Amino acid sequence: MLTACLFATTAFAQIESESKEVDNIDWQEDTTEIVTIADIMRDEQEVTMRKNVQKHYDDVWSRRSYFNISSTTNTLTPKDKIYTGVNTTDLVPEFKSDWGVALTWGRNYRLHKPSIANVAQFNIDYTWIDFNVNHFKAESDKNLYDSRHKFNEEKGPDGSWVGWNSNNPGSDGSSYNSSTFKKAKNYTPWNIEKYEANYGMSLGPSLTLAPFTYIDVPALHYIQMNIYYHIGYQASIIMMKNDSDLDVNQNPTKGSTEEDLQDALGDHAVLDFGHGMTSTFGFSLWWKFVGFGFESRKSTLEYQSLSESDFGKDKYKFESAISRVYLQFRF
């Protein structure tokens, strides 16, 4: 009987406890709004997944600085009549380099963030280092210039040349004495071997595309291409390594002005400085940190000798057209 009484007491307590819990439940409440542990875990997984996706696309668009190593070809075309000085009719031809190298360093500055649908990004590019070196062979192996011929600086190097003696009269038919010859200016030996180095900066718009971001292969998302157009300014130096063996004047009269002139030119370097505006169009394709590209740059440069006492103050205009194929590094 004692045992039965104890069981009865326990059962009554359980019933009373369950009755209180049931009474605390609001049966009118929408049970779909009750947050469970499973719901919390699912929300956390979604947040983590979104963060990982965003981190992935941030990495896809993060490499906006570029460093290019280029193989170049440069063509220099005279804009005006430029005389070689070998005779009264020979004009400076178009020069084409046989090799060239360039280094370019710059950055894409985004005009908006984030990118458009993770596919397109408009930028303003600034290239703060654009350094180029080109080599031009001599036009032939002889008769590239004639140290016996000068020009009257007042008339300019337009064919009004000065011969060193009466056998080489000027364009007006008169003869020039030795004193006049010494005061005249040398023709720039454009036809000999040349090295051209230029440095510039540029600024302009570009469009970067990531065409494969909607393909469910994350590695393909990193394939990007960039199309750009830049306007800039550059300074250029042309060095012509003079060689007396290329001089038509091979047998100057000893002790004459003719001999003095050949000795003055000798094997010394001739330097001309030029500058002008540039316009560049190009495109590149890369995956992650490495890619390749092509660009074409055009400019009009005005050159002047750095030795006015020898070559005068005249300026010479050339159109420069540079083509580049480059290896690109992105970071």
Side-chain angles (χ1 to χ4, degrees):
M1 291 180 65
L2 180 59
T3 301
C5 289
L6 289 173
F7 274 117
T9 303
T10 303
F12 177 77
Q14 289 179 349
I15 292 172
E16 184 177 6
S17 176
E18 290 177 0
S19 176
K20 289 180 179 180
E21 291 180 0
V22 171
D23 291 340
N24 289 332
I25 294 177
D26 184 1
W27 297 103
Q28 302 301 318
E29 183 181 4
D30 187 357
T31 56
T32 59
E33 296 182 0
I34 297 176
V35 178
T36 65
I37 294 178
D39 293 333
I40 295 174
M41 292 179 63
R42 184 178 64 253
D43 292 343
E44 289 293 331
Q45 289 174 349
E46 291 178 356
V47 170
T48 302
M49 184 176 65
R50 283 197 297 269
K51 287 182 177 179
N52 289 338
V53 171
Q54 186 59 48
K55 184 178 179 180
H56 168 73
Y57 284 115
D58 288 344
D59 185 53
V60 167
W61 295 98
S62 65
R63 296 169 180 84
R64 291 177 284 124
S65 294
Y66 49 87
F67 182 79
N68 304 335
I69 302 175
S70 308
S71 173
T72 70
T73 300
N74 188 10
T75 301
L76 289 174
T77 305
K79 295 283 288 183
D80 304 312
K81 290 182 178 180
I82 302 175
Y83 290 87
T84 64
V86 176
N87 55 53
T88 56
T89 58
D90 283 359
L91 299 177
V92 170
E94 178 181 86
F95 302 120
K96 188 172 183 179
S97 65
D98 58 332
W99 63 262
V101 294
L103 299 176
T104 309
W105 189 7
R107 185 173 177 83
N108 308 130
Y109 291 94
R110 293 178 292 191
L111 293 178
H112 54 87
K113 186 180 178 181
S115 59
I116 300 173
N118 282 322
V119 172
Q121 177 74 59
F122 289 95
N123 316 285
I124 289 293
D125 300 346
Y126 174 45
T127 303
W128 53 82
I129 292 181
D130 191 340
F131 181 69
N132 199 98
V133 176
N134 298 285
H135 175 262
F136 299 83
K137 291 181 179 179
E139 291 302 294
S140 65
D141 58 355
K142 61 181 181 179
N143 299 339
L144 295 182
Y145 68 99
D146 190 341
S147 62
R148 296 172 298 183
H149 299 152
K150 290 188 175 186
F151 65 90
N152 187 330
E153 188 173 21
E154 294 180 357
K155 296 182 179 180
D158 57 356
S160 58
W161 69 354
V162 179
W164 85 275
N165 60 23
S166 60
N167 294 324
N168 293 293
S171 60
D172 57 1
S174 62
S175 299
Y176 293 88
N177 58 33
S178 177
S179 176
T180 303
F181 182 71
K182 285 184 177 180
K183 294 179 181 179
K185 302 302 179 183
N186 302 315
Y187 285 93
T188 301
W190 291 106
N191 284 341
I192 65 178
E193 181 184 18
K194 295 176 288 298
Y195 289 89
E196 189 260 345
N198 61 71
Y199 173 82
M201 297 183 181
S202 61
L203 185 73
S206 72
L207 171 63
T208 302
L209 299 173
F212 303 114
T213 51
Y214 282 93
I215 296 178
D216 193 19
V217 181
L220 294 180
H221 298 174
Y222 290 94
I223 297 177
Q224 293 176 287
M225 62 182 67
N226 182 253
I227 304 172
Y228 56 89
Y229 177 75
H230 298 164
I231 296 293
Y233 202 85
Q234 73 167 7
S236 172
I237 288 283
I238 291 183
M239 183 186 75
M240 292 161 270
K241 182 64 171 64
N242 205 28
D243 186 348
S244 58
D245 292 337
L246 302 177
D247 191 351
V248 175
N249 180 26
Q250 288 297 309
N251 297 296
T253 304
K254 186 173 179 59
S256 67
T257 305
E258 187 179 21
E259 183 181 46
D260 292 341
L261 176 59
Q262 190 183 66
D263 290 340
L265 291 175
D267 294 328
H268 301 294
V270 178
L271 297 176
D272 273 51
F273 172 76
H275 57 93
M277 297 290 295
T278 64
S279 62
T280 305
F281 173 79
F283 64 89
S284 60
L285 177 70
W286 71 89
W287 181 82
K288 288 193 175 182
F289 64 90
V290 65
F292 63 91
F294 172 83
E295 72 176 26
S296 175
R297 189 180 77 180
K298 291 187 177 181
S299 57
T300 298
L301 304 173
E302 192 172 63
Y303 286 98
Q304 184 176 13
S305 175
L306 293 179
S307 178
E308 294 182 359
S309 60
D310 291 326
F311 299 97
K313 300 179 181 179
D314 291 274
K315 298 179 180 179
Y316 308 93
K317 285 187 178 181
F318 285 85
E319 183 179 274
S320 173
I322 296 180
S323 297
R324 293 172 171 171
V325 177
Y326 58 82
L327 176 67
Q328 183 174 85
F329 298 96
R330 309 283 301 197
F331 51 93

